[in-house]
Amino acid sequence: MTKKDGTQAKYHLRLFIAGRSSATLLAIETLRKPCDHELQGQCELDAIDVIQQPELAERARVIATPTLIKQAPEPQRKVIGSSSNRDRLLLALDIPRTFSE
């Protein structure tokens, strides 16, 4: 996504998970792919364990895991539940899809 001044917008994604399991590690890896491909590295992905940092989940008003929040660029978006469907994830986060996989 290009900002009004012509520069590339930096995406900031926060993934709220509960513990470190194979499922949560897969969710993190699944999200790294769009960061590398569609966003061409212009993405910061934070994985936040709600068990270890419940105050961050409370501040973000996370009520279920996994929850993915697009902090920036505006508008903020939330995806609750599985993010395994790449096309749905890109659409929900308003990230343009590229054709190079």
Side-chain angles (χ1 to χ4, degrees), residues 50-81:
V50 299
I51 295 170
Q52 294 179 359
Q53 297 178 298
E55 69 282 354
L56 293 179
E58 186 176 329
R59 204 173 309 143
R61 297 185 177 181
V62 171
I63 58 170
T65 59
T67 294
L68 177 66
I69 301 175
K70 180 182 84 166
Q71 297 284 116
E74 293 287 335
Q76 186 181 73
R77 303 272 177 113
K78 281 187 182 181
V79 176
I80 300 170

Side-chain angles (χ1 to χ4, degrees), residues 24 33 63 93:
T24 58
K33 289 178 185 175
I63 58 170
L93 296 176

Side-chain angles (χ1 to χ4, degrees), residues 11-35:
Y11 281 75
H12 183 200
L13 305 176
R14 300 180 93 189
L15 176 64
F16 289 86
I17 54 173
R20 296 284 179 170
S21 66
S22 58
T24 58
L25 294 176
L26 180 61
I28 293 168
E29 190 58 36
T30 299
L31 290 170
R32 289 198 192 281
K33 289 178 185 175
C35 285

